Amino acid sequence: MSLRTVLQLVVHGEATSRADIARRTGLARSTVSQQVELLIGSGLVEEVVTSASVRGRPPRLLRVRAAAGLLVAVDVDVPATRVAVADLAGNTLAVGVVDRPVDDGPEAVLAGVVDQVRRSVAGLDAPLLQVVVGLPGPVDFVHGYAVRPPIMPGWDGHPVGERLRAALGVPVLVDNDVNLMAVGEADVAGVDPPLLFVRIGAGIGSGLVTGPFQVHRGADGAAGDIGHVRTSARSEVLCRCGKTGCLEATASLRAIAADLGIPEVRGADREHGQRTLAARVAAGDPVAVHRIRQAAAEIGDVVAGLVHFFNPRTLVLGGALSSLRDEVLAGVRASVYENALPLATRKLVITTSQLDGEAVLRGAVALAVQEVFSPDGLSGLLARGGGRVSPGS
Ligand SMILES: [Zn+2]
């Protein structure tokens, strides 16, 4: 019986006491105590005395020591990149901003990320164990880079995972940001899977979570990229991807703002277009409201097809500024209920994101915790455990 098995029971909450471990593993109490002492000595596990004493000795609770390691979540977004540091319990300790737009290219943005990570973890007395990065484009999850991302000039094939791994010396996962948002809603906010997350912003994308931490990425990582599905409406409109009639080219907030003559960026304000559009909708401008409803119906048509195909329990809409969200939600909801079959919509919950602007970072931290506590991660953790214990002991 390996030390890893005992750690695994504690990590996943399957055993919270020495007696639990003995029961679950069939090991003698003395052996269990020895193993637990080793884990406590390594700093990975702590034993706390709980106040809920019934009689006799107060019960002692085994749990992972949250301060035993650090996780970093990186949200590379169009206007800037955010970097969060969290403990092993997934609590965010600090969030920093790398003030560089994605247009500056991977060299500049990633150098800023490395700087920010080093600064953030410098004062914290624990080893960095895992980094998870979200990118706003199609991502090859296995190799850790973006593939032909329409809004990330210079990032195509740039080895983001490899670069950060080399600079920071820890494992790095790179994922599409909407996948991380979906993980955040399902595994942090506790929304029921199967969960389909649809992000409507400057672009349009989706992520599908089928169970706990089970993201459907597809064979190459391209699953969920619905922004470039061709819609029948206004099929002559040219998209940023080079095709015409993409959903994103007609129904994204960027497309709507452009239609209404609102500039996307003004000075340093990179969300000027969305903000102005939201203000017009909030003020009841009939042209803006009409255009938003039209876009929501187009998005709803595509999403209704996905609802047929995946039969999600929950459809979560995110990305849009809150004042636009009610209009978008109403439009998508109407279109999905009108177009999808009753069996697929009978118990379907359609809602807006609970985590909102924090969804990428929260999802990335959750995925990092999951990765650190995976069988491979636990072996690495024991090997690092101050050199005091080895995975096989
Ligand atoms: Zn396109």
Side-chain angles (χ1 to χ4, degrees):
M1 190 68 60
S2 72
L3 192 57
R4 202 182 75 185
T5 309
V6 174
L7 180 57
Q8 209 151 10
L9 288 173
V10 175
V11 158
H12 298 296
E14 291 161 30
T16 55
S17 68
R18 296 177 188 221
D20 276 354
I21 295 171
R23 235 188 336 268
R24 297 290 298 252
T25 59
L27 292 172
R29 286 294 294 262
S30 57
T31 314
V32 169
S33 280
Q34 204 181 17
Q35 304 241 18
V36 167
E37 293 302 337
L38 265 172
L39 288 172
I40 292 173
S42 74
L44 292 174
V45 166
E46 62 187 0
E47 196 168 40
V48 292
V49 175
T50 62
S51 53
S53 169
V54 184
R55 68 177 100 88
R57 280 191 307 173
R60 291 184 297 171
L61 185 75
L62 285 173
R63 65 181 184 198
V64 169
R65 203 170 64 87
L70 299 170
L71 311 166
V72 160
V74 181
D75 177 11
V76 177
D77 203 358
V78 175
T81 288
R82 292 196 308 150
V83 175
V85 179
D87 65 18
L88 286 185
N91 302 307
T92 303
L93 305 174
V95 179
V97 176
V98 178
D99 206 6
R100 278 189 174 279
V102 77
D103 292 3
D104 282 3
E107 296 287 347
V109 172
L110 295 180
V113 167
V114 170
D115 259 13
Q116 181 62 42
V117 171
R118 287 186 178 144
R119 264 203 308 274
S120 308
V121 304
L124 301 167
D125 183 27
L128 176 60
L129 299 175
Q130 176 77 45
V131 174
V132 173
V133 183
L135 298 181
V139 171
D140 181 326
F141 182 73
V142 174
H143 298 104
Y145 52 70
V147 180
R148 301 280 302 274
I151 56 169
M152 303 175 72
W155 290 74
D156 179 27
H158 187 87
V160 174
E162 215 176 286
R163 281 281 313 277
L164 293 179
R165 200 174 304 123
L168 298 169
V170 295
V172 179
L173 285 182
V174 184
D175 205 344
N176 168 261
D177 56 1
V178 188
N179 285 346
L180 296 176
M181 290 175 143
V183 169
E185 292 297 326
D187 295 296
V188 180
V191 175
D192 286 341
L195 178 152
L196 178 65
F197 189 101
V198 178
R199 179 199 218 175
I200 302 152
I204 295 173
S206 75
L208 181 73
V209 169
T210 55
F213 297 99
Q214 299 298 310
V215 179
H216 179 79
R217 296 186 176 90
D220 302 299
D225 209 352
I226 59 169
H228 305 283
V229 169
R230 190 186 169 101
T231 58
S232 53
R234 310 206 311 150
S235 62
E236 79 287 356
V237 181
L238 183 65
C239 180
R240 288 181 289 181
C241 73
K243 297 193 298 170
T244 55
C246 294
L247 180 64
E248 191 170 299
T250 61
S252 66
L253 298 184
R254 170 193 280 224
I256 299 167
D259 270 5
L260 298 175
I262 305 168
E264 191 183 356
V265 177
R266 173 173 285 177
D269 183 6
R270 291 178 169 270
E271 289 189 332
H272 173 78
Q274 280 195 44
R275 233 188 289 280
T276 308
L277 178 62
R280 284 206 196 166
V281 169
D285 174 345
V287 179
V289 171
H290 173 75
R291 188 62 187 81
I292 280 280
R293 287 188 182 155
Q294 188 184 33
E298 280 179 44
I299 295 166
D301 281 349
V302 172
V303 171
L306 299 177
V307 167
H308 269 149
F309 190 77
F310 291 122
N311 187 199
R313 174 61 65 243
T314 318
L315 169 62
V316 182
L317 302 182
L321 297 177
S322 54
S323 38
L324 289 170
R325 208 166 292 162
D326 289 346
E327 290 294 338
V328 173
L329 182 67
V332 170
R333 193 178 260 153
S335 185
V336 167
Y337 283 130
E338 192 184 315
N339 294 306
L341 284 170
L343 181 59
T345 53
R346 204 159 52 183
K347 294 184 191 162
L348 175 69
V349 175
I350 306 180
T351 181
T352 53
S353 170
Q354 291 182 38
L355 300 177
D356 223 6
E358 300 306 309
V360 177
L361 289 179
R362 298 291 298 275
V365 167
L367 197 63
V369 172
Q370 168 77 4
E371 192 64 18
V372 165
F373 293 156
S374 69
D376 282 354
L378 287 182
S379 297
L381 206 55
L382 284 167
R384 292 184 72 129
R388 279 166 288 189
V389 289
S390 70
S393 59

